[in-house]
Amino acid sequence: AQSVTQLGSHVSVSEGALVLLRCNYSSSVPPYLFWYVQYPNQGLQLLLKYTTGATLVKGINGFEAEFKKSETSFHLTKPSAHMSDAAEYFCAVSLASSARQLTFGSGTQLTVLP
Amino acid sequence: EPEVTQTPSHQVTQMGQEVILRCVPISNHLYFYWYRQILGQKVEFLVSFYNNEISEKSEIFDDQFSVERPDGSNFTLKIRSTKLEDSAMYFCASSEARGGANEKLFFGSGTQLSVL
């Protein structure tokens, strides 16, 4: 079975500052890893995903994440926060053989301060 | 960009009543899913559906739940006799690919179900 832990249910950053949202996973087999974002009153939108290959993955809106197998981590970063980045962010994991069945973390609410 | 549509956005029902949550997946997608999020808890997988049958389901998806694709466009989740603990945000999703690295789930904006 796989699981995901997101450290920090709420993160606040100033506009222009670095965004770092933490995600650690556990999986008995090589995982697929995802970051989703949810803006108010909208569905979950895929930001980026890691399946195989390059461990640094670039996504939409300037976000990127690095898969670190030794640390079982997949932290999400963005060099400079924008007000429009305020949303809830979910890390998710799936087994490579069943990428359709996602296991989500509990989410991190990102607030961007002016 | 095409999107998954869910109706209604909010549903209030009495305990013991049947409720049907509706979803219109993206038109060329073949796989359909329901997830739910109880307030303050994680988003949880309920069920996946392909070729008019359930392909995977979680422990949550018991006999009180059923899914259907009644007319080739809608995808519904029925809860036969709602319980208080069924109160949650229910997300529908769809995907095109047959799994693996190319899988990408598109989620709807959810239906908030409140059971009184």
Side-chain angles (χ1 to χ4, degrees), chain B residues 16-17 20 25 44-45 49 58 76 78 81-82 93 96-97 105:
Chain B
Q17 295 296 304
I20 297 175
E44 302 170 292
F45 170 78
F49 189 86
S58 71
T76 62
K78 182 192 291 186
S81 177
T82 50
E96 181 182 21
L105 272 65

Side-chain angles (χ1 to χ4, degrees), chain B:
Chain B
E1 185 174 75
E3 58 182 25
V4 175
T5 306
Q6 289 187 244
T7 56
S9 57
H10 291 84
Q11 175 90 45
V12 180
T13 189
Q14 295 290 326
M15 189 170 58
Q17 295 296 304
E18 175 183 286
V19 67
I20 297 175
L21 308 182
R22 303 181 191 280
C23 170
V24 178
I26 295 171
S27 61
N28 64 333
H29 285 187
L30 302 175
Y31 291 84
F32 314 109
Y33 317 85
W34 284 100
Y35 284 76
R36 79 172 186 189
Q37 185 180 26
I38 295 172
L39 185 64
Q41 298 185 25
K42 298 181 180 183
V43 176
E44 302 170 292
F45 170 78
L46 293 180
V47 66
S48 62
F49 189 86
Y50 170 72
N51 198 26
N52 284 320
E53 60 183 27
I54 291 172
S55 51
E56 295 170 295
K57 63 181 181 179
S58 71
E59 295 173 352
I60 303 167
F61 195 87
D62 61 21
D63 292 345
Q64 291 298 310
F65 292 89
S66 62
V67 289
E68 193 178 31
R69 190 156 160 78
D71 57 13
S73 62
N74 290 285
F75 178 53
T76 62
L77 174 69
K78 182 192 291 186
I79 309 174
R80 288 191 183 83
S81 177
T82 50
K83 303 187 286 286
L84 294 177
E85 54 265 37
D86 293 327
S87 295
M89 177 73 84
Y90 287 81
F91 292 103
C92 174
S94 68
S95 68
E96 181 182 21
R98 296 179 65 84
N102 292 323
E103 195 71 52
K104 180 179 177 181
L105 272 65
F106 289 80
F107 284 84
S109 55
T111 293
Q112 180 64 54
L113 176 66
S114 298
V115 181
L116 306 179

Side-chain angles (χ1 to χ4, degrees), chain A residues 9 11 24 29 35-36 40-41 46 54-55 60 73 93 96 101 112:
Chain A
S9 58
V11 170
N24 288 89
V29 297
W35 276 99
Y36 282 84
N41 301 315
L46 182 66
T55 56
I60 62 172
S73 69
V93 63
Q101 185 171 337
V112 182

Side-chain angles (χ1 to χ4, degrees), chain A residues 6-78:
Chain A
Q6 289 184 243
L7 295 176
S9 58
H10 291 84
V11 170
S12 293
V13 300
S14 297
E15 191 174 16
L18 171 72
V19 176
L20 171 60
L21 305 183
R22 299 179 186 275
C23 172
N24 288 89
Y25 70 92
S26 69
S27 176
S28 56
V29 297
Y32 288 171
L33 295 159
F34 307 80
W35 276 99
Y36 282 84
V37 60
Q38 186 180 26
Y39 299 102
N41 301 315
Q42 296 186 28
L44 296 163
Q45 180 182 0
L46 182 66
L47 267 180
L48 49 79
K49 67 178 180 181
Y50 168 80
T51 54
T52 57
T55 56
L56 181 63
V57 181
K58 295 186 186 298
I60 62 172
N61 301 338
F63 284 93
E64 61 183 37
E66 186 170 10
F67 170 59
K68 292 187 176 180
K69 185 178 179 181
S70 61
E71 298 177 8
T72 61
S73 69
F74 190 58
H75 301 329
L76 181 71
T77 60
K78 181 174 180 177

